[in-house]
Amino acid sequence: MTGFDRAELDEMVRRWIAENERCEKLGDWKPLAEMYTADATYGWNYGPKDEFMAVGRDEIRELALGQEMEGLQGWEYPYQQFVIDERSGDCIGFWKQQYTTTPREDGSLYTVNGIGGSWFRYGGDYQWSWQRDFFDFGNVSALFLEMMTDEAMSEPMNERIAKSTASRLPGWYRIGTAPASLW
């Protein structure tokens, strides 16, 4: 294996963070799809029975960055640290998930405790070929329950939750049945 140029990987991460921050401000993450190769895959596990997988840039745009981010306007995912392996092109970014629109009564932000992150594989040409997200489902659930109790959920987020609990949305699969493996 020949590896990747470290400066190019560092530049990819810089571009990714800048575009991610821009999309957060817009409340529209779909433009991030241009930062994936045409045949990229993007998935995550969601407990012992379910997983999500988008295959190809178009599905990533419409499902992972569209459908799955629907209702998350006002949420930010600031990266805390990146670990980069220039031998494999793998990059792991650790992020927080926090709601910045409506703070708690004490002024603090609703923030998911635990570690969230994304594992990327560089595909060259300043595009990712592979992404897998990981997050603490228990802490996400606890925060969402707190926000519901505090009536701090936005109406678009309530609509998203209702939509996703009413039926199995595109891109969602029982463990082991997705068109691409998590690993």
Side-chain angles (χ1 to χ4, degrees), residues 24-180:
E24 285 173 349
K25 286 179 177 71
L26 291 173
D28 178 8
W29 287 266
K30 286 182 178 183
L32 284 169
E34 296 309 311
M35 299 191 78
Y36 294 89
T37 61
D39 61 349
T41 62
Y42 182 175
W44 58 83
N45 173 268
Y46 200 69
K49 296 181 182 176
D50 296 301
E51 59 193 10
F52 175 86
M53 183 60 65
V55 177
R57 184 184 298 136
D58 292 338
E59 275 196 13
I60 290 170
R61 178 183 297 106
E62 296 308 314
L63 300 181
L65 303 172
Q67 165 188 289
E68 293 303 307
M69 297 301 285
E70 188 177 306
L72 292 172
Q73 295 79 6
W75 286 86
E76 292 181 357
Y77 301 83
Y79 281 93
Q80 306 300 298
Q81 183 70 29
F82 260 88
V83 178
I84 299 171
D85 181 354
E86 60 268 7
R87 292 168 302 161
S88 65
D90 285 352
C91 302
I92 298 176
F94 299 97
W95 39 259
K96 287 183 180 181
Q97 181 177 357
Q98 54 193 24
Y99 187 54
T100 61
T101 303
T102 306
R104 290 183 176 97
E105 281 188 21
D106 68 3
S108 66
L109 296 178
Y110 289 97
T111 303
V112 175
N113 293 318
I115 295 175
S118 298
W119 175 6
F120 303 94
R121 183 152 302 135
Y122 188 58
D125 230 2
Y126 300 103
Q127 295 179 320
W128 302 121
S129 66
W130 190 88
Q131 180 175 344
R132 300 299 183 265
D133 287 351
F134 52 93
F135 52 91
D136 186 327
F137 178 68
N139 278 317
V140 171
S141 299
L143 182 69
F144 283 8
L145 182 59
E146 176 189 355
M147 291 177 74
M148 286 179 207
T149 302
D150 293 350
E151 297 182 2
M153 282 286 195
S154 68
E155 191 51 39
M157 187 61 179
N158 284 326
E159 291 168 8
R160 177 191 189 280
I161 291 169
K163 184 177 174 182
S164 65
T165 57
S167 65
R168 183 172 290 277
L169 297 175
W172 284 95
Y173 300 90
R174 293 288 180 208
I175 294 287
T177 65

